[in-house]
Amino acid sequence: MTIEVVHDRTGLDEALDAQGPGPRAVVMTMGALHAGHLALVRRARELAEHVVVTVFVNPLQFGPTEDLARYPRDLAADRALLDPLLGDGDVLFAPSVHEMYPSGDPAVTVSAGRIGEVLEGGQRPGHLDGVLTVVLKLLHRTRPQVALFGQKDAQQLAAVRTMVRDLDLPVRIEAVSTVRDDDGLALSSRNAYLSPEQRTRALALVRALRAGEEAARHGAGAHGVRDAAYEVLAAAVDRLDYVEVVDEAFVPLRPDVDGAATLVLAGVVGTTRLIDNVPLVVARRPVEARPADTIGG
Ligand code: PAF
């Protein structure tokens, strides 16, 4: 049993029409698949009768100085990883840039609004607009009942949820927990850029999240959690982009506010920009229970 690979609208429409009844799930990727993507595909397989995986390195979400040209591309390798997980009727959609943007840069795009301008959006202007534009196009093309996104890209996930809510899109968004290596480093296609020395230093992201979790457990409050993580990260990375404790709309928590939050951080090691996050509960008194996604340590 092998997955059907299609590259254009006609091939995709034919493959989708042949799928028959039952819900369809989509997993959108930029390829360079790793165990984090495969966890999304496995969850999609559990949730729906039919699965579509998209592989498309979306130029719209890369800034002019970012790694669009060197972003790893190997469709044969991606396909080999997907084959054991997918079966008859499942589809791998791998369009070209011309197929997705036949007139060049689109005249009409999606604006992520405020969430597209802070933290990731502040560091990468237009990035989340580019993400939402291609996500909307891929939702239209693949017509799924459920779309799965990784918690690893927490701000992207929040932006997608906001778009689905605000534009009344008929799709359910399902989040899948971050997959980590044994040492805790979150899996990312960009980890491949790290030298052994840089990979060791990149573990500061994990230590920073653990420091934040520890502070939260001791009742540090939002700013105490943020500062504990900041101190660890600042000592190890070549550039610290941000450390923040945010609510579900990605608004920084005020120091006098308790509740469910996400500690998000980003930094550069060598020339590789890495992001990570962990959900936690901020309460200005010690907390016993840990949320499910805890980094621990
Ligand atoms: O998370 C990614 O890999 C990309 O941002 C996505 C959602 C596939 C859109 O290009």
Side-chain angles (χ1 to χ4, degrees), residues 13-291:
D13 282 344
E14 282 172 7
L16 297 186
D17 291 347
Q19 278 183 335
R24 176 184 304 134
V26 67
V27 175
M28 298 177 193
T29 80
M30 298 205 300
L33 301 184
H34 52 63
H37 298 111
L38 302 185
L40 291 167
V41 175
R42 281 197 195 89
R43 183 71 183 130
R45 172 80 299 152
E46 286 167 10
L47 291 176
E49 191 75 18
H50 310 291
V51 177
V52 179
V53 177
T54 70
V55 171
F56 177 61
V57 182
N58 174 35
L60 234 56
Q61 68 189 73
F62 287 78
T65 60
E66 292 184 358
D67 56 343
L68 175 62
R70 72 165 174 153
Y71 199 85
R73 293 163 173 87
D74 188 345
L75 189 61
D78 292 339
R79 185 185 169 158
L81 289 171
L82 291 171
D83 259 336
L85 304 183
L86 298 176
D88 276 346
D90 293 329
V91 177
L92 170 56
F93 178 48
S96 65
V97 173
H98 183 259
E99 170 66 23
M100 291 302 287
Y101 303 115
S103 326
D105 280 355
V108 175
T109 56
V110 179
S111 163
R114 192 203 63 85
I115 202 169
E117 289 163 11
V118 298
L119 302 169
E120 275 307 281
Q123 297 294 325
R124 306 180 68 189
H127 166 68
L128 284 169
D129 297 348
V131 169
L132 292 190
T133 300
V134 82
V135 167
L136 185 61
K137 284 168 71 76
L138 290 169
L139 287 174
H140 286 317
R141 289 209 182 197
T142 59
R143 299 178 261 134
Q145 281 67 46
V146 55
L148 296 93
F149 293 87
Q151 177 65 37
K152 157 81 170 39
D153 294 304
Q155 194 168 349
Q156 166 174 287
L157 173 62
V160 169
R161 284 194 194 286
T162 307
M163 174 175 74
V164 166
R165 182 198 67 195
D166 289 354
L167 301 185
D168 302 322
L169 302 182
V171 65
R172 180 161 68 86
I173 301 301
E174 180 88 6
V176 175
S177 299
T178 303
V179 178
R180 298 178 180 281
D181 267 335
D182 290 345
D183 56 12
L185 190 68
L187 296 191
S188 161
S189 305
R190 291 190 168 99
N191 291 354
Y193 301 151
L194 297 168
S195 70
E197 180 273 330
Q198 290 166 349
R199 199 187 171 298
T200 304
R201 270 196 300 132
L203 290 175
L205 275 80
V206 185
R207 288 199 306 276
L209 293 178
R210 286 182 181 146
E213 285 185 318
E214 187 63 15
R217 278 198 292 278
H218 286 94
H223 285 185
V225 170
R226 179 196 65 190
D227 295 348
Y230 186 100
E231 203 180 311
V232 174
L233 195 60
V237 292
D238 295 309
R239 190 185 84 209
L240 192 154
D241 280 354
Y242 60 78
V243 178
E244 197 50 89
V245 176
V246 295
D247 66 15
E248 62 179 16
F250 270 74
V251 175
L253 240 64
R254 291 205 326 258
D256 58 332
V257 171
D258 291 346
T262 307
L263 169 59
V264 293
L265 46 79
V268 175
V269 178
T271 57
T272 306
R273 190 167 180 280
L274 299 168
I275 63 174
D276 204 347
N277 70 87
V278 68
L280 41 73
V281 176
V282 172
R284 282 153 299 140
R285 58 185 157 64
V287 182
E288 288 308 317
R290 294 176 173 198

